[in-house]
Amino acid sequence: MSTTETVPSPEPAIGDPNAPVVSFQHVSIGFDGHSVLLDISFQARSGEMVIILGPAGGGKSILLKLANGLIPPDAGRVLLFGKDINKLTQEEMFEFRSHIGMVFQESALFDSLSVRDNVAYRLLEERDDPEDVNRRVTESLKFVELEHAIDKFPAELSGGMRRRVAIARAIITQPSLLLYDSPTGGLDPITSTTIIELVMKQRDVYESTALLVTHRLQDAFTLATHRFNMKTNQMERIENDGVDPNTTLMVLKEGHIAFTGSLVDLLRSKDPYIQEYLA
Amino acid sequence: MEIGEFLREKVMAVQEYSLLSWTAMTNIFRRPFYWVDLYTQADLIGVGSAPIVILTGFFTGGVLALNSASTLAQFGAKAVTGTLVSLSMIKELGPVLTGLMVSGRNASGMASELGSMQVTEQIDAMRALGVDPLKKLVTPRVLSTIIMLVFLTIISDALGTLGGGWISSTMGINLSQYFHSAYQALRYPDVLEGLVKPLLFGFIIATVGCYFGMSTRGGTQGVGRSTTQAVVVSSVLIIFSDFLISQLTIGLFGR
Ligand SMILES: Nc1ncnc2c1ncn2[C@@H]1O[C@H](COP(=O)(O)OP(=O)(O)O)[C@@H](O)[C@H]1O
Ligand SMILES: [Mg+2]
C-alpha cells in the first residue's frame, strides 16, 4: 500500500499563520472547589507534537477539552491559531473546530452509526458531494488500515479497531491540529504500538500539530525516538540514538507543569519527581 | 449535605434546565435544522407509543362509563353517561394519561440515550466534530414530542369515547344516545383545553428527558439515575401543570 499518492492537501490555515497553533496562558480550572489545573502555560507551534504525561485523574483529558473549547477555563486564556477562544461566538467556535481533530479516550464513536457514517460524520454535516465523501472515507480508513470494516458497527469492533476508527474520523478533513486523549489507554501492548505507529505516521506524513495525552511513558519514548518511513510503511528508530526535533514532552504534577522539553532533557532532569516518574 | 448547598444546586439545575429549553425552542428558527432526526424521533414517539395509548385510552373510557353509569342509574340519569365520559376524557384523562404513558416511555428513553452518549463522551465528540448537540439531539426531540403528543391525545380521546360507548351498550344504554350526549357536551373551551395540554406536556416530557440526559455524570450508574429522575420529574410536572391549566380554563371560561 502506498501512502504518498493519497496525501490530500491540508486545509488552509485559519487565524494568524505565524502564531502558535495552541497556546495556554495562565490557565486554571477546577471542579466543585478543588482545582485540577493551576496556572498552566505552554504552546505548540505549527508541526510540533506535545506529549502530555501525568498520572490518572491529573487533568489531562480536561486539558485537551480546554484546547478544543469544549469547556471554558476558570482563569487564563486559551488561544487557538492566535485567537482567544473565549472571545469567539458559538458559531465561530464550531467553525474553528472544523480545523481540529480529536480522538477521545474511549474512542467515543457514535454507536448508532456505521463505521462509514462515523468517519464521514463531519463531511455529511457539511453536506459534501456523496462521491467525494466516499472517496475521503475510504482514504481515511486506508490510512488506519481498516477499509474492510467500513460497513461494521462500533459494537462489532475490538478496542484497538475502535481507536483506529476514531483516528480516521479525526483526520478526515486533515485538520491543522490533532488532539489525542490517551490513544493507547486500555489496549494491550501490541495494539498500543500499532496505534502509536499510526499517530507517528500522521505526524511525519502530514506534519500536523498535535497534543497527545498518555500515562504510558513508553508511548512518549517511542514517539520521540522513532520516525515513520513511508517506503517501508513502518516506523523505525532515528539513527544515532537521535530524537525527533518536533516532539516535546510535558509532565503534569498536581495541576502544574513539572517539566517541558525534549526526551534528552527529560532523561537529564535532576528534578526528584521526574526521576521518580522515570524510575 | 448542607441546606444552602442543596438549594444552590437546585437553583442552578432549574437555571440550566430553563436555558436548555429556551435554546431548544429558539433553535427551531436557526440553521441547520435536522429534518431527518425530527422524522426519526416522530416515528419513534408517535408510532411506537400508539399501541399503549390506544389500549389505555380504550379501557379508561370503559372504566369511566362503568363507574358513571352505575352511579347515574341511581338518579335515573344513565342517559348522560356519554357527557361524563367525553368531558373527562377530552379535558383531563386523555391528555394526562397519554402524557404519563409517553413520559414513562420516552422521557426515560431520551434520558438514557443522551445520558449514555454523555458518559461515553459522544456528546463531546459531536461538538468536537462541529455539530451542536442541542440542535441535533434536543430540538428534534422536543418538537416531535410536542407534535406527536397532540395526535396521540386525540387518538386516546377518541378511543376513550369508543370504549365508553362499548361499556354503555352492554349496560343497556342506547349507543346513538350515548354518542349524541358525548358530542353535545363539548364546548369550544373544552376542546381547546384538551389540545393545549398535550402541547405543554410534550414540551415537558422532551425537555426534562433531554435535560437529565445531557446533565448525566458518573458512568452507567449515573445513566440509571438520570432515567429514573426524568420519569419522576416529568410525571409530577405533567400532573401539576394539568392542575394549573384546568384552574386557568375555569377562570377564563367558567368551565
Ligand atoms: N465534569 C466534571 N465535573 C467534575 N469533576 C470533573 C469533571 N471532569 C473531570 N473532573 C475531575 O477532574 C479531574 C481530572 O480529570 P481528567 O482530566 O479526566 O483526568 P485524566 O488526567 O485521567 O484524564 C478528576 O479528578 C475528575 O474527577
Ligand atoms: Mg483522561
Side-chain angles (χ1 to χ4, degrees):
Chain A
M1 165 194 138
S2 159
T3 348
T4 35
E5 61 190 16
T6 59
V7 178
S9 53
E11 293 251 318
I14 51 165
D16 180 356
N18 297 318
V21 177
V22 205
S23 167
F24 276 54
Q25 299 180 351
H26 308 289
V27 171
S28 299
I29 191 167
F31 295 97
D32 313 318
H34 81 107
S35 51
V36 175
L37 296 175
L38 271 170
D39 197 24
I40 297 280
S41 299
F42 74 94
Q43 47 176 261
R45 349 168 228 97
S46 178
E48 185 176 358
M49 169 174 274
V50 179
I51 301 176
I52 299 150
L53 289 153
K60 305 186 297 301
S61 299
I62 296 295
L63 191 143
L64 288 194
K65 284 181 187 169
L66 283 164
N68 205 352
L70 292 174
I71 43 176
D74 290 344
R77 305 199 303 161
V78 177
L79 279 74
L80 281 174
F81 314 103
K83 286 231 174 94
D84 186 343
I85 59 172
N86 264 354
K87 298 219 173 82
L88 299 176
T89 64
Q90 194 73 10
E91 259 72 37
E92 286 173 316
M93 194 61 233
F94 278 114
E95 158 65 21
F96 252 64
R97 291 210 189 99
S98 65
H99 301 270
I100 306 171
M102 183 151 181
V103 178
F104 285 84
Q105 193 158 348
E106 303 291 341
S107 306
L109 299 180
F110 302 117
D111 35 36
S112 57
L113 301 179
S114 68
V115 166
R116 177 191 178 275
D117 291 348
N118 261 289
V119 176
Y121 199 82
R122 182 170 262 162
L123 303 180
L124 295 174
E125 186 55 29
E126 290 163 5
R127 287 160 221 280
D128 289 357
D129 159 50
E131 209 142 287
D132 187 45
V133 170
N134 273 334
R135 187 181 53 76
R136 287 165 79 182
V137 168
T138 319
E139 205 168 84
S140 205
L141 282 173
K142 216 178 230 168
F143 185 88
V144 297
E145 301 178 6
L146 269 185
E147 311 94 290
H148 57 278
I150 189 162
D151 290 320
K152 287 200 162 35
F153 278 83
E156 303 170 81
L157 305 177
S158 69
M161 286 163 94
R162 254 182 267 173
R163 218 56 64 85
R164 275 146 73 190
V165 174
I167 294 177
R169 181 173 73 177
I171 64 172
I172 191 156
T173 50
Q174 284 306 315
S176 324
L177 172 65
L178 275 161
L179 306 169
Y180 298 96
D181 193 352
S182 314
T184 60
L187 299 179
D188 61 86
I190 294 170
T191 317
S192 296
T193 311
T194 325
I195 299 293
I196 287 301
E197 199 171 10
L198 280 176
V199 171
M200 194 183 301
K201 181 163 144 193
Q202 173 67 27
R203 177 190 71 188
D204 296 344
V205 175
Y206 298 108
E207 293 174 353
S208 46
T209 315
L211 302 186
L212 181 138
V213 152
T214 180
H215 64 278
R216 277 184 16 133
L217 200 53
Q218 202 199 331
D219 294 345
F221 270 81
T222 314
L223 281 164
T225 56
H226 288 65
R227 75 158 73 91
F228 194 81
N229 185 329
M230 276 187 275
K231 294 203 185 67
T232 60
N233 198 31
Q234 265 180 340
M235 62 181 182
E236 61 187 24
R237 249 198 114 89
I238 298 171
E239 51 287 330
N240 306 325
D241 288 339
V243 291
D244 183 76
N246 286 324
T247 300
T248 308
L249 274 56
M250 191 167 110
V251 180
L252 286 182
K253 174 200 174 190
E254 287 157 20
H256 298 279
I257 297 176
F259 169 87
T260 27
S262 70
L263 181 65
V264 181
D265 299 333
L266 183 78
L267 294 173
R268 279 202 205 115
S269 171
K270 293 279 181 292
D271 187 299
Y273 179 78
I274 302 297
Q275 291 193 331
E276 193 191 327
Y277 194 81
L278 292 176
Chain B
M1 201 192 315
E2 204 190 315
I3 186 88
E5 174 84 357
F6 177 81
L7 283 178
R8 200 185 61 90
E9 225 168 67
K10 292 294 170 246
V11 170
M12 290 289 281
V14 169
Q15 188 181 334
E16 268 171 47
Y17 167 76
S18 313
L19 188 66
L20 176 131
S21 306
W22 171 253
T23 319
M25 294 313 284
T26 50
N27 274 346
I28 296 172
F29 309 103
R30 290 208 199 99
R31 298 308 97 194
F33 188 84
Y34 295 92
W35 288 101
V36 179
D37 298 84
L38 179 79
Y39 181 81
T40 318
Q41 287 302 319
D43 189 52
L44 200 76
I45 297 158
V47 181
S49 306
I52 55 167
V53 165
I54 288 172
L55 283 174
T56 46
F58 189 80
F59 289 109
T60 307
V63 84
L64 272 176
L66 206 58
N67 281 323
S68 36
S70 58
T71 312
L72 289 169
Q74 294 172 16
F75 306 100
K78 241 160 87 169
V80 292
T81 305
T83 308
L84 258 168
V85 172
S86 83
L87 275 182
S88 322
M89 251 350 262
I90 286 163
K91 283 165 60 120
E92 299 294 339
L93 291 173
V96 171
L97 286 178
T98 311
L100 292 179
M101 286 295 150
V102 174
S103 154
R105 208 177 157 269
N106 298 97
S108 58
M110 289 172 203
S112 65
E113 188 184 1
L114 302 197
S116 332
M117 290 183 76
Q118 180 66 263
V119 299
T120 54
E121 293 187 308
Q122 288 178 56
I123 303 273
D124 281 330
M126 198 173 264
R127 290 166 69 204
L129 289 165
V131 173
D132 183 348
L134 286 179
K135 281 187 192 145
K136 170 91 180 165
L137 300 172
V138 180
T139 301
R141 278 169 175 75
V142 173
L143 202 54
S144 58
T145 312
I146 293 176
I147 296 169
M148 294 325 279
L149 201 63
V150 172
F151 287 114
L152 288 170
T153 301
I154 293 172
I155 293 175
S156 169
D157 292 348
L159 264 294
T161 315
L162 269 181
W166 172 61
I167 290 295
S168 299
S169 70
T170 64
M171 297 177 78
I173 297 169
N174 180 305
L175 257 190
S176 79
Q177 194 187 17
Y178 169 87
F179 283 113
H180 185 74
S181 73
Y183 178 74
Q184 284 293 311
L186 293 175
R187 295 284 174 276
Y188 177 68
D190 305 327
V191 179
L192 186 72
E193 181 184 350
L195 290 179
V196 166
K197 282 179 178 176
L199 289 178
L200 186 68
F201 297 168
F203 175 81
I204 290 174
I205 292 168
T207 49
V208 169
C210 290
Y211 167 74
F212 280 105
M214 298 289 280
S215 56
T216 303
R217 299 277 174 278
T220 37
Q221 240 187 337
V223 177
R225 212 164 32 231
S226 296
T227 309
T228 320
Q229 281 175 324
V231 178
V232 171
V233 171
S234 64
S235 304
V236 170
L237 281 181
I238 284 173
I239 292 174
F240 178 62
S241 61
D242 177 64
F243 172 76
L244 288 185
I245 296 180
S246 297
Q247 278 271 332
L248 189 72
T249 38
I250 287 174
L252 283 178
F253 304 108
R255 55 184 283 144

